[in-house]
Amino acid sequence: MIIEPKVRGFVCVTSHPEGCAANVKEQIEVAQASGKVTDGPKRVLVIGSSTGYGLSSRIQAAFGCGADTFGVFFERPASNGRPASAGYYNAAAFEQEAQKAGLYAGSLNGDAFSDEMKEKVVERLKKEMGPIDLVVYSLASPRRTDPRTGETFKSCLKPIGQSFSSKTVDTDKDLVHEIGIEPAGDTDVHSTIKVMGGEDWERWMECLAENDLLADNFKTIAYSYIGPEVTWPIYKNGTIGKAKEDLDRAASVISEKNSAKSGKAYVAVNKAVVTQASSAIPVVPLYISILFKIMKEQGTHEGCIEQIVRLFRDRLYGSDSVELGDDGRIHVDDLEMKPEIQEAVAKIWPTIETENLRELSDYEGYQSDFLKLFGFGVEGIDYTVDVDPETALPGGNW
Ligand code: NAD
């Protein structure tokens, strides 16, 4: 069949296996070209490894550090002629490339929040990999069932304390318009912390520790975002910001519990990039479109893989100590947050509207990055050729 993009709001419900495979290969090339991280990790577990920052982390671990990797993700296989989710094809393409390069790559597809998944991963790691020296926690999910209580929590993106109105872009209609978002209730804050906070990260680390699967001097990292003031009511100071603060708490607990092994947990603040998770946040796609225009003009633009290469090479590894900001976190958002970049964004922000969207921002770059997430608009792929979504890029024994 001919697979075409079918965009519904902020998701694309189809994906192209060959386009996804080409994206993975392109990221591998970036990781390889950046040179090998000589003191990098050798055995890496990535939780949320099929798209976005987690996928790039797995690629950099394998192809920038030569590590064996184990990936956990929640993706949909192809069925009844319907393409698999992009993350499914990405994971399959990654495994193929890792095998070709002689690197071990194991994966499991299912709910990372569940105890069952943790047990299955432990079993596989014991048999196939041994103690892990880096755990990357990169989940972005709208809901989580806590296996200890059976209760399901839904995360939300709401301001706290007062309602918020701002410009945003409707990416379906290419319209800049005003949105108003009502403030969160207490349940919203609590639920978002349960889904996107540090509790599940801690449970993963406890489970690995109990099973002797953490190497001496191991590192573990979870990803956060701060961004510019225009997004603070909905991000940093909103429900998701509270969940991100909880990652800081969890990092301290994990480091403390593993001090005998000199294990360390870090929170890295990354830059805004186009991923399935970030495209769902109000206001952020408009900010990203402006940011990309300015950072591209200044020659400092980075996507997921460039950020993660820098995180591994210049922050986590490569020197005896990990450089932390005054807030105790690792920062790879330094280029995004440079005053001259933020001043340029702030100058454009009040003037941007539907009529000048393409002139004042890199909305086209945003849109093409969005389609690329699903394997569309990728250079070198002939989209007029028939592909069988079920056999083109089959998954492994997941
Ligand atoms: P993403 O949507 O691209 O990736 C999410 C990953 O989580 C996928 O691999 C998905 O399969 C997996 N996942 C979701 N639910 C799961 C479940 N129940 N079980 C197993 N796997 C599951 O998201 P992303 O943007 O790469 O976000 C990853 C992290 O990076 C998040 O913590 C996010 O807040 C953070 N971050 C993102 C940005 C950005 O601009 N995108 C910036 C800074 C920090």
Side-chain angles (χ1 to χ4, degrees):
M1 66 187 271
I2 306 290
I3 308 177
E4 288 177 337
K6 278 193 192 141
V7 179
R8 305 274 178 272
F10 49 76
V11 288
C12 179
V13 295
T14 51
S15 61
H16 200 282
E18 284 165 18
C20 290
N23 285 338
V24 169
K25 281 188 204 152
E26 193 183 303
Q27 290 202 36
I28 290 174
E29 279 162 23
V30 174
Q32 285 171 331
S34 71
K36 197 162 178 200
V37 180
T38 45
D39 63 344
K42 292 285 160 267
R43 283 185 289 269
V44 178
L45 169 63
V46 182
I47 302 157
S49 65
S50 53
T51 55
Y53 274 127
L55 173 65
S56 298
S57 303
R58 191 174 191 188
I59 289 173
Q60 170 62 1
F63 293 93
C65 306
D68 291 340
T69 61
F70 199 95
V72 182
F73 43 81
F74 208 177
E75 300 293 349
R76 190 192 66 241
S79 68
N80 302 325
R82 190 179 171 208
S85 58
Y88 194 93
Y89 289 137
N90 291 341
F94 173 86
E95 281 204 353
Q96 280 186 3
E97 294 303 316
Q99 262 160 24
K100 273 192 232 161
L103 295 165
Y104 169 85
S107 308
L108 278 171
N109 184 24
D111 183 10
F113 296 129
S114 69
D115 287 341
E116 192 195 351
M117 175 57 84
K118 293 180 178 72
E119 284 156 20
K120 279 191 192 163
V121 170
V122 160
E123 201 182 304
R124 292 276 304 270
L125 293 180
K126 278 186 178 166
K127 271 199 228 144
E128 297 165 30
M129 256 173 99
I132 301 297
D133 45 27
L134 174 67
V135 181
V136 177
Y137 189 84
S138 188
L139 294 183
S141 173
R143 71 185 68 79
R144 166 179 172 225
T145 301
D146 183 340
R148 299 200 180 161
T149 60
E151 197 177 344
T152 298
F153 299 91
K154 285 188 181 161
S155 67
C156 65
L157 294 154
K158 289 187 184 173
I160 295 174
Q162 54 190 33
S163 57
F164 166 60
S165 72
S166 168
K167 280 182 184 182
T168 194
V169 60
D170 178 333
T171 47
D172 256 357
K173 300 189 183 123
D174 305 337
L175 280 178
V176 177
H177 67 103
E178 215 44 37
I179 46 153
I181 307 171
E182 288 307 305
D186 287 347
T187 320
D188 291 328
V189 177
H190 175 69
S191 299
T192 307
I193 294 173
K194 284 291 275 189
V195 181
M196 289 297 288
E199 187 178 67
D200 182 62
W201 182 23
E202 284 179 82
R203 288 199 188 158
W204 269 101
M205 299 312 293
E206 275 164 19
C207 183
L208 295 167
E210 281 162 12
N211 287 282
D212 276 333
L213 282 168
L214 293 172
D216 286 343
N217 300 307
F218 77 84
K219 290 174 183 170
T220 180
I221 189 151
Y223 298 138
S224 187
Y225 183 64
I226 295 177
E229 280 186 44
V230 284
T231 65
W232 282 5
I234 189 78
Y235 202 97
K236 176 177 169 282
N237 298 335
T239 47
I240 183 72
K242 288 288 164 213
K244 293 296 179 190
E245 279 172 24
D246 191 59
L247 291 179
D248 298 326
R249 178 204 57 75
S252 305
V253 174
I254 295 167
S255 294
E256 208 174 294
K257 282 192 181 163
N258 292 284
S259 57
K261 274 197 175 297
S262 303
K264 282 255 183 246
Y266 299 98
V267 170
V269 184
N270 297 358
K271 94 178 259 278
V273 289
V274 184
T275 66
Q276 293 185 43
S278 69
S279 42
I281 308 174
V283 188
V284 167
L286 182 58
Y287 164 70
I288 289 182
S289 303
I290 302 174
L291 178 76
F292 278 19
K293 178 178 165 67
I294 292 158
M295 292 188 81
K296 283 179 185 175
E297 279 168 5
Q298 307 252 335
T300 55
H301 176 72
E302 291 177 320
C304 280
I305 189 66
E306 290 83 6
Q307 274 275 288
I308 297 298
V309 163
R310 213 152 58 79
L311 172 69
F312 276 53
R313 199 192 52 207
D314 300 345
R315 302 289 195 275
L316 272 182
Y317 301 99
S319 110
D320 291 341
S321 62
V322 173
E323 187 191 319
L324 301 177
D326 295 341
D327 56 3
R329 305 174 182 121
I330 297 174
H331 282 269
V332 269
D333 63 340
D334 49 344
L335 302 177
E336 170 183 0
M337 297 315 290
K338 274 192 170 190
E340 61 270 29
I341 299 284
Q342 286 302 320
E343 279 158 23
V345 175
K347 217 166 143 191
I348 292 173
W349 186 262
T351 62
I352 200 152
E353 47 196 49
T354 303
E355 290 68 33
N356 59 23
L357 177 63
R358 286 190 162 75
E359 182 199 331
L360 296 185
S361 82
D362 184 27
Y363 185 59
E364 260 154 47
Y366 177 88
Q367 285 181 308
S368 79
D369 277 7
F370 176 78
L371 286 176
K372 226 179 138 184
L373 295 177
F374 305 91
F376 297 109
V378 179
E379 231 181 81
I381 303 297
D382 184 352
Y383 291 95
T384 62
V385 172
D386 259 348
V387 270
D388 181 339
E390 295 188 35
T391 58
L393 194 48
N397 181 24
W398 303 339

